[in-house]
Amino acid sequence: MTPLLGMMASGATGSKQSSYESIASATGTGASGTITFSSIPATYKHLQLRGTSQESSTSNYAILRPNNDSSTANYTYHSIYGDGSAVTADGYITGLSGALSVNGTDIGQNSDTTGVGIVDIIDYASTTKYKTFRSITGYDNNGSGLIFLISSLWKDTTAISSLTIVAEAGNFTTKTTFALYGIKG
């Protein structure tokens, strides 16, 4: 990651570059639609999740559940996305079972296509704020793909100590990889 992109992704300003430290990584097994990072230390300012995602069933998203919270009343999001010829925006106030993140692709689209994304989790250890997830994600399927900018909100002030990533449908294939980083403030 270039210094400027790293600063933008972490919300840093000025010439100070944030320090990224690897916390953990995981790969899909093909037999499960869930990946969990547990015992996340509260010693960082923000978290960043980087990933490639491919799902075994027709699906679009890998869904993030902080502290494995699946309550549909606790999440909102808005997004803007485009396919090279049109731009669309949408959003939900309630009804999601987690924060939207990496746009995965299903193997029915193309067995070589995976979604990619970077998700910033802002002030994850705070006990006085709701948590914001910012992501840039997308995929290319031989010229017909999408790119997304998504902002999700977890309406809970609990510090995030675990992060569960759930396939919207099906299982994560062995082409799925997620890496979690802590960002020093």
Side-chain angles (χ1 to χ4, degrees), residues 1-13 20 48 120 134:
M1 179 174 291
T2 65
L4 179 57
L5 182 57
M7 287 171 38
M8 290 171 45
S10 69
T13 58
Y20 291 75
Q48 186 174 86
D120 290 317
R134 301 182 308 197

Side-chain angles (χ1 to χ4, degrees), residues 21-70:
E21 294 181 4
S22 176
I23 296 174
S25 62
T27 301
T29 64
S32 174
T34 304
I35 293 173
T36 300
F37 295 106
S38 57
S39 302
I40 299 171
T43 55
Y44 301 101
K45 178 71 175 160
H46 309 295
L47 297 175
Q48 186 174 86
L49 180 70
R50 302 175 192 175
T52 61
S53 177
Q54 185 183 76
E55 299 174 23
S56 63
S57 183
T58 55
S59 178
N60 288 321
Y61 296 100
I63 299 168
L64 298 181
R65 292 183 178 156
N67 301 341
N68 204 24
D69 179 6
S70 62

